[in-house]
Amino acid sequence: MAGRGRAAGGPPSRARLVLLGPGLSYLAVLLLLPLALLIGYTAFRRGRFGGIAYEDGSTGENFARLTDPLYAGVLTDSLRIAAVTTLLALLLGYPTAYAISRLPGRWRTVALVLVVLPFWTNFLIRTYAWIVLLSSRGVVNSALTGIGVIDRPLKLLYTEPAVVLGLLYAYLPLMVLPLYSAIERVDPRLLEASADLGARPARTLWSVTLPHTLPGVLTGCVFVFVPSLGNFVVPELLGGGHTVMVGNLIRDQFLTARDWPFGSVLALALMAFLVLLLMAQAWAGRRLGGR
């Protein structure tokens, strides 16, 4: 009788609701309510003076604009830039995480602190620092000119590579940390068995460590790809308006063009894509983890 109304081994359902209340309220106010507003705006069209106006068939027209070559090009460029950033982060992050996992315990802690240290500085300040480094009279051009490598400053700032560099610097720790965690979980007995069978370290890395860390690779790729795709600060500051990503497009629809219905459609399309991506990552992670 005492257990009636309770989950097995858990608190009473009413107490559970009380405990879940803050979290559910947070999700309702900051996720479900804005999502409902976005869905509602798709039924309208942009008003004459920037407001919204209802017109039958507006929803279909708003979603049909996603196929416009101009907007489709922005979405394609955003996917490409985010994918390149993720690939570079993986190529840099895996050796870094592997090296950290092989350090002695004390130095391992120091290295991990150094990896997360940039997160302790404001994101805008870190992005502005790259402007100082990459400008025509910045540190990089001054150094190359000073040692005679180039005769005139290179155009490094306000280019797509500058945007990729800024995104890579901002989100590289999000790749290193899950990779380090995955490498740490590899059973040492497997590595010892590989060495006992005569495999060189490179072969052990390729045949034993890498396959067992693929879930961490997937997690790190998602952690870098998702924020890179929606970022609008780095393209704005380091791209100088020449590189437009979907985050900038959504912001401009709400704040500049005052076309909230189409901005809502863009935001919903981006969210739907990211949800599908997360579902694919979860499915692949379960398959790889269950081998």
Side-chain angles (χ1 to χ4, degrees):
M1 297 292 291
R4 182 174 296 177
R6 305 181 179 190
S13 58
R14 183 174 298 177
R16 180 174 299 175
L17 289 176
V18 171
L19 294 174
L20 291 175
L24 293 176
S25 301
Y26 177 88
L27 290 176
V29 173
L30 298 181
L31 177 63
L32 298 181
L33 180 60
L35 182 61
L37 289 174
L38 287 178
I39 294 174
Y41 277 127
T42 62
F44 296 87
R45 63 175 177 82
R46 181 179 180 274
R48 178 177 301 178
F49 302 106
I52 57 174
Y54 179 75
E55 184 176 304
D56 192 25
S58 297
T59 302
E61 293 179 5
N62 288 327
F63 278 95
R65 291 174 64 186
L66 288 175
T67 60
D68 186 295
L70 174 63
Y71 304 123
V74 173
L75 293 173
T76 303
D77 290 343
S78 302
L79 291 171
R80 176 173 49 78
I81 292 174
V84 170
T85 303
T86 304
L87 178 61
L88 293 176
L90 177 61
L91 294 177
L92 290 175
Y94 202 98
T96 303
Y98 186 83
I100 293 175
S101 69
R102 295 296 179 266
L103 290 174
R106 183 179 60 180
W107 292 108
R108 195 179 306 171
T109 304
V110 174
L112 289 174
V113 170
L114 292 176
V115 168
V116 300
L117 191 61
F119 281 127
W120 298 350
T121 308
N122 184 275
F123 182 76
L124 282 176
I125 293 176
R126 285 184 282 146
T127 305
Y128 274 113
W130 279 107
I131 297 178
V132 177
L133 293 173
L134 300 178
S135 64
S136 59
R137 296 183 180 180
V139 175
V140 176
N141 272 314
S142 298
L144 294 176
T145 306
I147 61 177
V149 176
I150 56 176
D151 297 328
R152 61 184 63 182
L154 299 174
K155 182 174 176 54
L156 302 175
L157 192 60
Y158 305 141
T159 61
E160 186 174 306
V163 174
V164 173
L165 184 62
L167 293 173
L168 178 63
Y169 171 73
Y171 299 125
L172 183 59
L174 299 181
M175 177 67 78
V176 173
L177 294 179
L179 285 176
Y180 168 77
S181 177
I183 294 173
E184 276 289 286
R185 288 198 300 269
V186 176
D187 192 340
R189 293 174 297 181
L190 296 176
L191 305 180
E192 294 176 3
S194 178
D196 292 341
L197 293 173
R200 296 179 180 276
R203 179 62 184 274
T204 301
L205 174 64
W206 179 258
S207 301
V208 179
T209 305
L210 185 59
H212 284 83
T213 55
L214 284 180
V217 171
L218 286 175
T219 302
C221 288
V222 170
F223 280 4
V224 174
F225 184 84
V226 170
S228 297
L229 184 61
N231 191 290
F232 63 91
V233 174
V234 173
E236 184 75 21
L237 296 180
L238 300 185
H242 303 289
T243 302
V244 179
M245 296 182 67
V246 65
N248 304 90
L249 184 60
I250 294 173
R251 181 207 55 187
D252 291 343
Q253 293 302 316
F254 280 101
L255 302 182
T256 304
R258 305 288 295 174
D259 193 346
W260 288 33
F262 185 55
S264 300
V265 168
L266 287 170
L268 288 174
L270 181 62
M271 290 178 61
F273 174 77
L274 294 179
V275 168
L276 291 176
L277 179 66
L278 292 174
M279 292 174 63
Q281 183 264 335
W283 175 81
R286 286 195 299 270
R287 293 292 299 269
L288 292 171
R291 296 185 307 175

